[in-house]
Amino acid sequence: MQILRIDSASTGANSISRQVTQALTDHFTAKYPNATLVTRDLVADPLPHIDDARTGAIRQPEDTHTPAMKSVFAEERAVLDEFLASDIVIVGAPMYNFTIPSQLKSWIDRLGVPRLTFRYGENGVEGLAGGRKVVIASSRGGSYELGGTAEHQETLLRDFFGFIGVTDLHFVTVNNAGFGPEAVEQGLASAKEQIAEL
């Protein structure tokens, strides 16, 4: 079994989503003590934004790769393979300006790959990346209605992971983090209760 932990908050020791990803990591490694833990910190070791070479490297057949695509293929494919090899994926996803951090979007852009994580058929799109549990550690300064005019974080993540076939998807959310330490403490306590049920 492999557990993959992704962190994307740029607030360091002040990050609430990192506290939640740590709590989730502690929970799942205690539950599965023989699991391999893989971590990826998208702030300490950011992925470049995708360009034509990086997009082509993971989306086009290898025999059509340009020299630029060949030079980045291994590192691009490693990100996707790391995800596909994982049974549990913990994703730290704070809300930044009503959506997710750009560094997390860069990671997601490497997971949506035609013929590998989804395909189109007679009945529309078919997700191919199911069979794993994905848990989103979410933190937000306020409270937002799912799909509301200012909520593009959880909606985006639900839509994307559903698109690639992930049906075992959970959110552990700390809301109202902008309302001060007491609100954060209450939110983290609620998050720990949610984690205990996973």
PDB file of all heavy atoms in Angstrom, residues 74-115:
ATOM      1  N   ALA A  74      10.489  12.011 -18.387  1.00  0.00           N
ATOM      2  CA  ALA A  74      10.650  11.204 -17.171  1.00  0.00           C
ATOM      3  C   ALA A  74      10.107  11.930 -15.949  1.00  0.00           C
ATOM      4  O   ALA A  74       9.378  11.349 -15.139  1.00  0.00           O
ATOM      5  CB  ALA A  74      12.118  10.833 -16.970  1.00  0.00           C
ATOM      6  N   GLU A  75      10.430  13.206 -15.798  1.00  0.00           N
ATOM      7  CA  GLU A  75       9.963  13.932 -14.615  1.00  0.00           C
ATOM      8  C   GLU A  75       8.466  14.185 -14.662  1.00  0.00           C
ATOM      9  O   GLU A  75       7.786  14.157 -13.633  1.00  0.00           O
ATOM     10  CB  GLU A  75      10.734  15.241 -14.434  1.00  0.00           C
ATOM     11  CG  GLU A  75      10.567  16.244 -15.557  1.00  0.00           C
ATOM     12  CD  GLU A  75      11.485  17.439 -15.428  1.00  0.00           C
ATOM     13  OE1 GLU A  75      12.663  17.321 -15.824  1.00  0.00           O
ATOM     14  OE2 GLU A  75      11.026  18.490 -14.931  1.00  0.00           O
ATOM     15  N   GLU A  76       7.931  14.405 -15.859  1.00  0.00           N
ATOM     16  CA  GLU A  76       6.489  14.621 -15.982  1.00  0.00           C
ATOM     17  C   GLU A  76       5.730  13.335 -15.675  1.00  0.00           C
ATOM     18  O   GLU A  76       4.754  13.331 -14.932  1.00  0.00           O
ATOM     19  CB  GLU A  76       6.148  15.115 -17.391  1.00  0.00           C
ATOM     20  CG  GLU A  76       6.635  16.506 -17.693  1.00  0.00           C
ATOM     21  CD  GLU A  76       6.049  17.541 -16.757  1.00  0.00           C
ATOM     22  OE1 GLU A  76       4.814  17.626 -16.645  1.00  0.00           O
ATOM     23  OE2 GLU A  76       6.831  18.266 -16.122  1.00  0.00           O
ATOM     24  N   ARG A  77       6.178  12.230 -16.242  1.00  0.00           N
ATOM     25  CA  ARG A  77       5.493  10.962 -16.041  1.00  0.00           C
ATOM     26  C   ARG A  77       5.610  10.493 -14.594  1.00  0.00           C
ATOM     27  O   ARG A  77       4.708   9.834 -14.069  1.00  0.00           O
ATOM     28  CB  ARG A  77       6.059   9.913 -17.008  1.00  0.00           C
ATOM     29  CG  ARG A  77       5.319   8.586 -16.991  1.00  0.00           C
ATOM     30  CD  ARG A  77       3.832   8.755 -17.298  1.00  0.00           C
ATOM     31  NE  ARG A  77       3.103   7.548 -17.015  1.00  0.00           N
ATOM     32  CZ  ARG A  77       2.714   6.681 -17.945  1.00  0.00           C
ATOM     33  NH1 ARG A  77       2.979   6.907 -19.218  1.00  0.00           N
ATOM     34  NH2 ARG A  77       2.058   5.594 -17.599  1.00  0.00           N
ATOM     35  N   ALA A  78       6.696  10.854 -13.919  1.00  0.00           N
ATOM     36  CA  ALA A  78       6.893  10.448 -12.520  1.00  0.00           C
ATOM     37  C   ALA A  78       5.789  10.999 -11.624  1.00  0.00           C
ATOM     38  O   ALA A  78       5.346  10.324 -10.691  1.00  0.00           O
ATOM     39  CB  ALA A  78       8.263  10.906 -12.022  1.00  0.00           C
ATOM     40  N   VAL A  79       5.328  12.214 -11.906  1.00  0.00           N
ATOM     41  CA  VAL A  79       4.264  12.814 -11.094  1.00  0.00           C
ATOM     42  C   VAL A  79       2.976  12.016 -11.255  1.00  0.00           C
ATOM     43  O   VAL A  79       2.296  11.695 -10.270  1.00  0.00           O
ATOM     44  CB  VAL A  79       4.041  14.292 -11.482  1.00  0.00           C
ATOM     45  CG1 VAL A  79       2.890  14.897 -10.687  1.00  0.00           C
ATOM     46  CG2 VAL A  79       5.322  15.099 -11.271  1.00  0.00           C
ATOM     47  N   LEU A  80       2.647  11.682 -12.481  1.00  0.00           N
ATOM     48  CA  LEU A  80       1.441  10.898 -12.747  1.00  0.00           C
ATOM     49  C   LEU A  80       1.556   9.497 -12.158  1.00  0.00           C
ATOM     50  O   LEU A  80       0.623   9.004 -11.514  1.00  0.00           O
ATOM     51  CB  LEU A  80       1.189  10.818 -14.256  1.00  0.00           C
ATOM     52  CG  LEU A  80       0.023   9.933 -14.703  1.00  0.00           C
ATOM     53  CD1 LEU A  80      -1.295  10.449 -14.140  1.00  0.00           C
ATOM     54  CD2 LEU A  80      -0.025   9.850 -16.222  1.00  0.00           C
ATOM     55  N   ASP A  81       2.694   8.847 -12.360  1.00  0.00           N
ATOM     56  CA  ASP A  81       2.880   7.486 -11.854  1.00  0.00           C
ATOM     57  C   ASP A  81       2.809   7.432 -10.334  1.00  0.00           C
ATOM     58  O   ASP A  81       2.299   6.463  -9.765  1.00  0.00           O
ATOM     59  CB  ASP A  81       4.215   6.918 -12.341  1.00  0.00           C
ATOM     60  CG  ASP A  81       4.190   6.569 -13.824  1.00  0.00           C
ATOM     61  OD1 ASP A  81       3.084   6.479 -14.396  1.00  0.00           O
ATOM     62  OD2 ASP A  81       5.278   6.393 -14.407  1.00  0.00           O
ATOM     63  N   GLU A  82       3.313   8.468  -9.680  1.00  0.00           N
ATOM     64  CA  GLU A  82       3.262   8.557  -8.222  1.00  0.00           C
ATOM     65  C   GLU A  82       1.818   8.550  -7.737  1.00  0.00           C
ATOM     66  O   GLU A  82       1.471   7.868  -6.764  1.00  0.00           O
ATOM     67  CB  GLU A  82       3.965   9.852  -7.807  1.00  0.00           C
ATOM     68  CG  GLU A  82       4.193  10.091  -6.361  1.00  0.00           C
ATOM     69  CD  GLU A  82       4.954  11.386  -6.164  1.00  0.00           C
ATOM     70  OE1 GLU A  82       4.346  12.468  -6.299  1.00  0.00           O
ATOM     71  OE2 GLU A  82       6.167  11.306  -5.879  1.00  0.00           O
ATOM     72  N   PHE A  83       0.964   9.285  -8.432  1.00  0.00           N
ATOM     73  CA  PHE A  83      -0.458   9.321  -8.108  1.00  0.00           C
ATOM     74  C   PHE A  83      -1.114   7.968  -8.385  1.00  0.00           C
ATOM     75  O   PHE A  83      -1.838   7.427  -7.538  1.00  0.00           O
ATOM     76  CB  PHE A  83      -1.149  10.421  -8.910  1.00  0.00           C
ATOM     77  CG  PHE A  83      -2.651  10.432  -8.792  1.00  0.00           C
ATOM     78  CD1 PHE A  83      -3.269  10.964  -7.669  1.00  0.00           C
ATOM     79  CD2 PHE A  83      -3.446   9.904  -9.800  1.00  0.00           C
ATOM     80  CE1 PHE A  83      -4.658  10.963  -7.548  1.00  0.00           C
ATOM     81  CE2 PHE A  83      -4.827   9.911  -9.688  1.00  0.00           C
ATOM     82  CZ  PHE A  83      -5.430  10.431  -8.569  1.00  0.00           C
ATOM     83  N   LEU A  84      -0.852   7.399  -9.542  1.00  0.00           N
ATOM     84  CA  LEU A  84      -1.495   6.147  -9.925  1.00  0.00           C
ATOM     85  C   LEU A  84      -1.047   4.979  -9.062  1.00  0.00           C
ATOM     86  O   LEU A  84      -1.779   3.996  -8.921  1.00  0.00           O
ATOM     87  CB  LEU A  84      -1.221   5.853 -11.405  1.00  0.00           C
ATOM     88  CG  LEU A  84      -1.873   6.814 -12.408  1.00  0.00           C
ATOM     89  CD1 LEU A  84      -1.431   6.493 -13.821  1.00  0.00           C
ATOM     90  CD2 LEU A  84      -3.396   6.789 -12.285  1.00  0.00           C
ATOM     91  N   ALA A  85       0.133   5.070  -8.476  1.00  0.00           N
ATOM     92  CA  ALA A  85       0.642   3.994  -7.619  1.00  0.00           C
ATOM     93  C   ALA A  85       0.113   4.081  -6.194  1.00  0.00           C
ATOM     94  O   ALA A  85       0.365   3.193  -5.382  1.00  0.00           O
ATOM     95  CB  ALA A  85       2.170   4.029  -7.593  1.00  0.00           C
ATOM     96  N   SER A  86      -0.635   5.131  -5.882  1.00  0.00           N
ATOM     97  CA  SER A  86      -1.070   5.379  -4.504  1.00  0.00           C
ATOM     98  C   SER A  86      -2.485   4.888  -4.263  1.00  0.00           C
ATOM     99  O   SER A  86      -3.372   5.073  -5.086  1.00  0.00           O
ATOM    100  CB  SER A  86      -0.974   6.875  -4.185  1.00  0.00           C
ATOM    101  OG  SER A  86       0.361   7.312  -4.321  1.00  0.00           O
ATOM    102  N   ASP A  87      -2.667   4.268  -3.092  1.00  0.00           N
ATOM    103  CA  ASP A  87      -3.979   3.784  -2.679  1.00  0.00           C
ATOM    104  C   ASP A  87      -4.762   4.855  -1.930  1.00  0.00           C
ATOM    105  O   ASP A  87      -5.991   4.891  -1.976  1.00  0.00           O
ATOM    106  CB  ASP A  87      -3.811   2.562  -1.774  1.00  0.00           C
ATOM    107  CG  ASP A  87      -3.021   1.472  -2.472  1.00  0.00           C
ATOM    108  OD1 ASP A  87      -3.598   0.788  -3.323  1.00  0.00           O
ATOM    109  OD2 ASP A  87      -1.816   1.318  -2.167  1.00  0.00           O
ATOM    110  N   ILE A  88      -4.036   5.720  -1.221  1.00  0.00           N
ATOM    111  CA  ILE A  88      -4.634   6.842  -0.496  1.00  0.00           C
ATOM    112  C   ILE A  88      -3.860   8.090  -0.877  1.00  0.00           C
ATOM    113  O   ILE A  88      -2.620   8.108  -0.837  1.00  0.00           O
ATOM    114  CB  ILE A  88      -4.575   6.631   1.029  1.00  0.00           C
ATOM    115  CG1 ILE A  88      -5.373   5.381   1.432  1.00  0.00           C
ATOM    116  CG2 ILE A  88      -5.100   7.859   1.772  1.00  0.00           C
ATOM    117  CD1 ILE A  88      -5.218   4.999   2.892  1.00  0.00           C
ATOM    118  N   VAL A  89      -4.578   9.127  -1.262  1.00  0.00           N
ATOM    119  CA  VAL A  89      -3.952  10.394  -1.640  1.00  0.00           C
ATOM    120  C   VAL A  89      -4.519  11.490  -0.746  1.00  0.00           C
ATOM    121  O   VAL A  89      -5.735  11.697  -0.702  1.00  0.00           O
ATOM    122  CB  VAL A  89      -4.196  10.730  -3.124  1.00  0.00           C
ATOM    123  CG1 VAL A  89      -3.489  12.029  -3.498  1.00  0.00           C
ATOM    124  CG2 VAL A  89      -3.737   9.580  -4.018  1.00  0.00           C
ATOM    125  N   ILE A  90      -3.639  12.154  -0.010  1.00  0.00           N
ATOM    126  CA  ILE A  90      -4.011  13.257   0.875  1.00  0.00           C
ATOM    127  C   ILE A  90      -3.577  14.544   0.188  1.00  0.00           C
ATOM    128  O   ILE A  90      -2.400  14.712  -0.132  1.00  0.00           O
ATOM    129  CB  ILE A  90      -3.296  13.113   2.237  1.00  0.00           C
ATOM    130  CG1 ILE A  90      -3.687  11.804   2.925  1.00  0.00           C
ATOM    131  CG2 ILE A  90      -3.586  14.318   3.132  1.00  0.00           C
ATOM    132  CD1 ILE A  90      -2.762  11.423   4.077  1.00  0.00           C
ATOM    133  N   VAL A  91      -4.522  15.438  -0.049  1.00  0.00           N
ATOM    134  CA  VAL A  91      -4.230  16.654  -0.802  1.00  0.00           C
ATOM    135  C   VAL A  91      -4.516  17.884   0.051  1.00  0.00           C
ATOM    136  O   VAL A  91      -5.674  18.142   0.407  1.00  0.00           O
ATOM    137  CB  VAL A  91      -5.066  16.726  -2.101  1.00  0.00           C
ATOM    138  CG1 VAL A  91      -4.726  17.985  -2.889  1.00  0.00           C
ATOM    139  CG2 VAL A  91      -4.861  15.478  -2.945  1.00  0.00           C
ATOM    140  N   GLY A  92      -3.487  18.622   0.379  1.00  0.00           N
ATOM    141  CA  GLY A  92      -3.662  19.889   1.086  1.00  0.00           C
ATOM    142  C   GLY A  92      -4.082  20.961   0.102  1.00  0.00           C
ATOM    143  O   GLY A  92      -3.323  21.294  -0.823  1.00  0.00           O
ATOM    144  N   ALA A  93      -5.286  21.489   0.277  1.00  0.00           N
ATOM    145  CA  ALA A  93      -5.851  22.428  -0.701  1.00  0.00           C
ATOM    146  C   ALA A  93      -6.483  23.623  -0.002  1.00  0.00           C
ATOM    147  O   ALA A  93      -7.699  23.688   0.163  1.00  0.00           O
ATOM    148  CB  ALA A  93      -6.884  21.718  -1.571  1.00  0.00           C
ATOM    149  N   PRO A  94      -5.682  24.582   0.425  1.00  0.00           N
ATOM    150  CA  PRO A  94      -6.278  25.789   1.005  1.00  0.00           C
ATOM    151  C   PRO A  94      -6.989  26.596  -0.079  1.00  0.00           C
ATOM    152  O   PRO A  94      -6.665  26.468  -1.265  1.00  0.00           O
ATOM    153  CB  PRO A  94      -5.057  26.555   1.540  1.00  0.00           C
ATOM    154  CG  PRO A  94      -3.931  26.114   0.649  1.00  0.00           C
ATOM    155  CD  PRO A  94      -4.218  24.671   0.330  1.00  0.00           C
ATOM    156  N   MET A  95      -7.956  27.377   0.328  1.00  0.00           N
ATOM    157  CA  MET A  95      -8.612  28.272  -0.612  1.00  0.00           C
ATOM    158  C   MET A  95      -7.787  29.559  -0.718  1.00  0.00           C
ATOM    159  O   MET A  95      -7.555  30.233   0.277  1.00  0.00           O
ATOM    160  CB  MET A  95     -10.037  28.622  -0.168  1.00  0.00           C
ATOM    161  CG  MET A  95     -10.715  29.621  -1.111  1.00  0.00           C
ATOM    162  SD  MET A  95     -12.354  30.162  -0.564  1.00  0.00           S
ATOM    163  CE  MET A  95     -13.372  28.862  -1.239  1.00  0.00           C
ATOM    164  N   TYR A  96      -7.331  29.852  -1.920  1.00  0.00           N
ATOM    165  CA  TYR A  96      -6.635  31.112  -2.219  1.00  0.00           C
ATOM    166  C   TYR A  96      -7.475  31.859  -3.244  1.00  0.00           C
ATOM    167  O   TYR A  96      -7.678  31.358  -4.359  1.00  0.00           O
ATOM    168  CB  TYR A  96      -5.244  30.849  -2.795  1.00  0.00           C
ATOM    169  CG  TYR A  96      -4.201  30.390  -1.796  1.00  0.00           C
ATOM    170  CD1 TYR A  96      -4.519  30.117  -0.465  1.00  0.00           C
ATOM    171  CD2 TYR A  96      -2.883  30.238  -2.176  1.00  0.00           C
ATOM    172  CE1 TYR A  96      -3.554  29.703   0.442  1.00  0.00           C
ATOM    173  CE2 TYR A  96      -1.907  29.822  -1.280  1.00  0.00           C
ATOM    174  CZ  TYR A  96      -2.256  29.553   0.027  1.00  0.00           C
ATOM    175  OH  TYR A  96      -1.293  29.141   0.924  1.00  0.00           O
ATOM    176  N   ASN A  97      -7.966  33.020  -2.875  1.00  0.00           N
ATOM    177  CA  ASN A  97      -8.740  33.845  -3.796  1.00  0.00           C
ATOM    178  C   ASN A  97      -9.864  33.056  -4.470  1.00  0.00           C
ATOM    179  O   ASN A  97     -10.040  33.089  -5.686  1.00  0.00           O
ATOM    180  CB  ASN A  97      -7.809  34.480  -4.849  1.00  0.00           C
ATOM    181  CG  ASN A  97      -6.781  35.372  -4.207  1.00  0.00           C
ATOM    182  OD1 ASN A  97      -7.105  36.182  -3.344  1.00  0.00           O
ATOM    183  ND2 ASN A  97      -5.523  35.211  -4.594  1.00  0.00           N
ATOM    184  N   PHE A  98     -10.604  32.325  -3.629  1.00  0.00           N
ATOM    185  CA  PHE A  98     -11.816  31.588  -4.005  1.00  0.00           C
ATOM    186  C   PHE A  98     -11.546  30.286  -4.758  1.00  0.00           C
ATOM    187  O   PHE A  98     -12.480  29.600  -5.158  1.00  0.00           O
ATOM    188  CB  PHE A  98     -12.789  32.459  -4.818  1.00  0.00           C
ATOM    189  CG  PHE A  98     -13.068  33.782  -4.165  1.00  0.00           C
ATOM    190  CD1 PHE A  98     -12.671  34.965  -4.772  1.00  0.00           C
ATOM    191  CD2 PHE A  98     -13.696  33.854  -2.932  1.00  0.00           C
ATOM    192  CE1 PHE A  98     -12.910  36.186  -4.161  1.00  0.00           C
ATOM    193  CE2 PHE A  98     -13.933  35.068  -2.317  1.00  0.00           C
ATOM    194  CZ  PHE A  98     -13.547  36.243  -2.933  1.00  0.00           C
ATOM    195  N   THR A  99     -10.279  29.918  -4.956  1.00  0.00           N
ATOM    196  CA  THR A  99      -9.980  28.682  -5.661  1.00  0.00           C
ATOM    197  C   THR A  99      -8.753  28.037  -5.028  1.00  0.00           C
ATOM    198  O   THR A  99      -8.485  28.250  -3.852  1.00  0.00           O
ATOM    199  CB  THR A  99      -9.810  28.948  -7.178  1.00  0.00           C
ATOM    200  OG1 THR A  99      -9.675  27.702  -7.861  1.00  0.00           O
ATOM    201  CG2 THR A  99      -8.642  29.852  -7.483  1.00  0.00           C
ATOM    202  N   ILE A 100      -8.015  27.239  -5.769  1.00  0.00           N
ATOM    203  CA  ILE A 100      -6.858  26.531  -5.219  1.00  0.00           C
ATOM    204  C   ILE A 100      -5.571  27.274  -5.563  1.00  0.00           C
ATOM    205  O   ILE A 100      -5.525  28.061  -6.509  1.00  0.00           O
ATOM    206  CB  ILE A 100      -6.797  25.079  -5.736  1.00  0.00           C
ATOM    207  CG1 ILE A 100      -6.662  25.043  -7.266  1.00  0.00           C
ATOM    208  CG2 ILE A 100      -8.018  24.292  -5.276  1.00  0.00           C
ATOM    209  CD1 ILE A 100      -6.459  23.663  -7.849  1.00  0.00           C
ATOM    210  N   PRO A 101      -4.480  27.027  -4.828  1.00  0.00           N
ATOM    211  CA  PRO A 101      -3.197  27.638  -5.168  1.00  0.00           C
ATOM    212  C   PRO A 101      -2.729  27.211  -6.555  1.00  0.00           C
ATOM    213  O   PRO A 101      -2.981  26.085  -6.993  1.00  0.00           O
ATOM    214  CB  PRO A 101      -2.241  27.103  -4.091  1.00  0.00           C
ATOM    215  CG  PRO A 101      -3.119  26.666  -2.964  1.00  0.00           C
ATOM    216  CD  PRO A 101      -4.397  26.202  -3.611  1.00  0.00           C
ATOM    217  N   SER A 102      -2.015  28.092  -7.236  1.00  0.00           N
ATOM    218  CA  SER A 102      -1.554  27.774  -8.587  1.00  0.00           C
ATOM    219  C   SER A 102      -0.611  26.580  -8.597  1.00  0.00           C
ATOM    220  O   SER A 102      -0.595  25.803  -9.557  1.00  0.00           O
ATOM    221  CB  SER A 102      -0.873  28.989  -9.227  1.00  0.00           C
ATOM    222  OG  SER A 102       0.284  29.362  -8.488  1.00  0.00           O
ATOM    223  N   GLN A 103       0.158  26.401  -7.511  1.00  0.00           N
ATOM    224  CA  GLN A 103       1.067  25.254  -7.487  1.00  0.00           C
ATOM    225  C   GLN A 103       0.294  23.926  -7.427  1.00  0.00           C
ATOM    226  O   GLN A 103       0.744  22.913  -7.963  1.00  0.00           O
ATOM    227  CB  GLN A 103       2.075  25.347  -6.334  1.00  0.00           C
ATOM    228  CG  GLN A 103       1.492  25.616  -4.981  1.00  0.00           C
ATOM    229  CD  GLN A 103       1.455  27.101  -4.646  1.00  0.00           C
ATOM    230  OE1 GLN A 103       1.321  27.945  -5.524  1.00  0.00           O
ATOM    231  NE2 GLN A 103       1.583  27.428  -3.363  1.00  0.00           N
ATOM    232  N   LEU A 104      -0.882  23.929  -6.796  1.00  0.00           N
ATOM    233  CA  LEU A 104      -1.708  22.728  -6.790  1.00  0.00           C
ATOM    234  C   LEU A 104      -2.322  22.495  -8.165  1.00  0.00           C
ATOM    235  O   LEU A 104      -2.435  21.357  -8.627  1.00  0.00           O
ATOM    236  CB  LEU A 104      -2.799  22.826  -5.720  1.00  0.00           C
ATOM    237  CG  LEU A 104      -3.713  21.616  -5.572  1.00  0.00           C
ATOM    238  CD1 LEU A 104      -2.919  20.346  -5.283  1.00  0.00           C
ATOM    239  CD2 LEU A 104      -4.746  21.850  -4.472  1.00  0.00           C
ATOM    240  N   LYS A 105      -2.708  23.559  -8.826  1.00  0.00           N
ATOM    241  CA  LYS A 105      -3.235  23.435 -10.196  1.00  0.00           C
ATOM    242  C   LYS A 105      -2.185  22.834 -11.113  1.00  0.00           C
ATOM    243  O   LYS A 105      -2.496  22.007 -11.990  1.00  0.00           O
ATOM    244  CB  LYS A 105      -3.684  24.808 -10.709  1.00  0.00           C
ATOM    245  CG  LYS A 105      -4.248  24.808 -12.127  1.00  0.00           C
ATOM    246  CD  LYS A 105      -5.505  23.977 -12.246  1.00  0.00           C
ATOM    247  CE  LYS A 105      -6.259  24.232 -13.531  1.00  0.00           C
ATOM    248  NZ  LYS A 105      -5.497  23.957 -14.765  1.00  0.00           N
ATOM    249  N   SER A 106      -0.916  23.196 -10.933  1.00  0.00           N
ATOM    250  CA  SER A 106       0.150  22.624 -11.755  1.00  0.00           C
ATOM    251  C   SER A 106       0.249  21.114 -11.560  1.00  0.00           C
ATOM    252  O   SER A 106       0.506  20.373 -12.514  1.00  0.00           O
ATOM    253  CB  SER A 106       1.496  23.276 -11.421  1.00  0.00           C
ATOM    254  OG  SER A 106       1.518  24.607 -11.860  1.00  0.00           O
ATOM    255  N   TRP A 107       0.048  20.656 -10.323  1.00  0.00           N
ATOM    256  CA  TRP A 107       0.074  19.215 -10.052  1.00  0.00           C
ATOM    257  C   TRP A 107      -1.125  18.540 -10.723  1.00  0.00           C
ATOM    258  O   TRP A 107      -0.989  17.515 -11.406  1.00  0.00           O
ATOM    259  CB  TRP A 107       0.062  18.978  -8.543  1.00  0.00           C
ATOM    260  CG  TRP A 107       0.029  17.546  -8.125  1.00  0.00           C
ATOM    261  CD1 TRP A 107       1.051  16.640  -8.191  1.00  0.00           C
ATOM    262  CD2 TRP A 107      -1.085  16.839  -7.554  1.00  0.00           C
ATOM    263  NE1 TRP A 107       0.648  15.419  -7.695  1.00  0.00           N
ATOM    264  CE2 TRP A 107      -0.667  15.516  -7.296  1.00  0.00           C
ATOM    265  CE3 TRP A 107      -2.392  17.201  -7.226  1.00  0.00           C
ATOM    266  CZ2 TRP A 107      -1.498  14.553  -6.737  1.00  0.00           C
ATOM    267  CZ3 TRP A 107      -3.229  16.248  -6.669  1.00  0.00           C
ATOM    268  CH2 TRP A 107      -2.784  14.946  -6.428  1.00  0.00           C
ATOM    269  N   ILE A 108      -2.306  19.113 -10.568  1.00  0.00           N
ATOM    270  CA  ILE A 108      -3.524  18.559 -11.159  1.00  0.00           C
ATOM    271  C   ILE A 108      -3.409  18.478 -12.679  1.00  0.00           C
ATOM    272  O   ILE A 108      -3.868  17.520 -13.308  1.00  0.00           O
ATOM    273  CB  ILE A 108      -4.749  19.393 -10.734  1.00  0.00           C
ATOM    274  CG1 ILE A 108      -5.106  19.067  -9.281  1.00  0.00           C
ATOM    275  CG2 ILE A 108      -5.939  19.162 -11.647  1.00  0.00           C
ATOM    276  CD1 ILE A 108      -6.211  19.927  -8.723  1.00  0.00           C
ATOM    277  N   ASP A 109      -2.765  19.477 -13.284  1.00  0.00           N
ATOM    278  CA  ASP A 109      -2.626  19.487 -14.742  1.00  0.00           C
ATOM    279  C   ASP A 109      -1.851  18.282 -15.257  1.00  0.00           C
ATOM    280  O   ASP A 109      -1.951  17.936 -16.437  1.00  0.00           O
ATOM    281  CB  ASP A 109      -1.929  20.772 -15.202  1.00  0.00           C
ATOM    282  CG  ASP A 109      -2.854  21.977 -15.153  1.00  0.00           C
ATOM    283  OD1 ASP A 109      -4.082  21.785 -15.147  1.00  0.00           O
ATOM    284  OD2 ASP A 109      -2.346  23.116 -15.100  1.00  0.00           O
ATOM    285  N   ARG A 110      -1.075  17.635 -14.400  1.00  0.00           N
ATOM    286  CA  ARG A 110      -0.313  16.451 -14.804  1.00  0.00           C
ATOM    287  C   ARG A 110      -1.105  15.152 -14.609  1.00  0.00           C
ATOM    288  O   ARG A 110      -0.630  14.091 -15.000  1.00  0.00           O
ATOM    289  CB  ARG A 110       0.990  16.395 -14.023  1.00  0.00           C
ATOM    290  CG  ARG A 110       1.975  17.462 -14.524  1.00  0.00           C
ATOM    291  CD  ARG A 110       2.992  17.830 -13.485  1.00  0.00           C
ATOM    292  NE  ARG A 110       4.059  18.623 -14.071  1.00  0.00           N
ATOM    293  CZ  ARG A 110       4.027  19.950 -14.195  1.00  0.00           C
ATOM    294  NH1 ARG A 110       2.978  20.637 -13.782  1.00  0.00           N
ATOM    295  NH2 ARG A 110       5.046  20.593 -14.732  1.00  0.00           N
ATOM    296  N   LEU A 111      -2.278  15.252 -13.997  1.00  0.00           N
ATOM    297  CA  LEU A 111      -3.077  14.050 -13.728  1.00  0.00           C
ATOM    298  C   LEU A 111      -4.169  13.818 -14.762  1.00  0.00           C
ATOM    299  O   LEU A 111      -4.638  12.691 -14.909  1.00  0.00           O
ATOM    300  CB  LEU A 111      -3.727  14.141 -12.342  1.00  0.00           C
ATOM    301  CG  LEU A 111      -2.816  14.401 -11.144  1.00  0.00           C
ATOM    302  CD1 LEU A 111      -3.629  14.320  -9.853  1.00  0.00           C
ATOM    303  CD2 LEU A 111      -1.639  13.459 -11.110  1.00  0.00           C
ATOM    304  N   GLY A 112      -4.589  14.855 -15.434  1.00  0.00           N
ATOM    305  CA  GLY A 112      -5.649  14.717 -16.430  1.00  0.00           C
ATOM    306  C   GLY A 112      -5.050  14.359 -17.784  1.00  0.00           C
ATOM    307  O   GLY A 112      -4.763  15.247 -18.593  1.00  0.00           O
ATOM    308  N   VAL A 113      -4.831  13.069 -18.026  1.00  0.00           N
ATOM    309  CA  VAL A 113      -4.129  12.636 -19.236  1.00  0.00           C
ATOM    310  C   VAL A 113      -5.031  11.695 -20.044  1.00  0.00           C
ATOM    311  O   VAL A 113      -5.388  10.609 -19.561  1.00  0.00           O
ATOM    312  CB  VAL A 113      -2.809  11.921 -18.879  1.00  0.00           C
ATOM    313  CG1 VAL A 113      -2.074  11.510 -20.152  1.00  0.00           C
ATOM    314  CG2 VAL A 113      -1.930  12.823 -18.019  1.00  0.00           C
ATOM    315  N   PRO A 114      -5.398  12.090 -21.252  1.00  0.00           N
ATOM    316  CA  PRO A 114      -6.243  11.225 -22.088  1.00  0.00           C
ATOM    317  C   PRO A 114      -5.631   9.833 -22.251  1.00  0.00           C
ATOM    318  O   PRO A 114      -4.421   9.685 -22.394  1.00  0.00           O
ATOM    319  CB  PRO A 114      -6.289  11.965 -23.436  1.00  0.00           C
ATOM    320  CG  PRO A 114      -5.950  13.378 -23.119  1.00  0.00           C
ATOM    321  CD  PRO A 114      -5.014  13.327 -21.945  1.00  0.00           C
ATOM    322  N   ARG A 115      -6.487   8.835 -22.190  1.00  0.00           N
ATOM    323  CA  ARG A 115      -6.142   7.420 -22.357  1.00  0.00           C
ATOM    324  C   ARG A 115      -5.439   6.816 -21.140  1.00  0.00           C
ATOM    325  O   ARG A 115      -5.281   5.609 -21.063  1.00  0.00           O
ATOM    326  CB  ARG A 115      -5.302   7.173 -23.624  1.00  0.00           C
ATOM    327  CG  ARG A 115      -6.026   7.539 -24.920  1.00  0.00           C
ATOM    328  CD  ARG A 115      -5.122   7.473 -26.112  1.00  0.00           C
ATOM    329  NE  ARG A 115      -3.947   8.335 -26.014  1.00  0.00           N
ATOM    330  CZ  ARG A 115      -3.959   9.647 -26.211  1.00  0.00           C
ATOM    331  NH1 ARG A 115      -5.090  10.249 -26.538  1.00  0.00           N
ATOM    332  NH2 ARG A 115      -2.864  10.352 -26.105  1.00  0.00           N
TER     333      ARG A 115
END
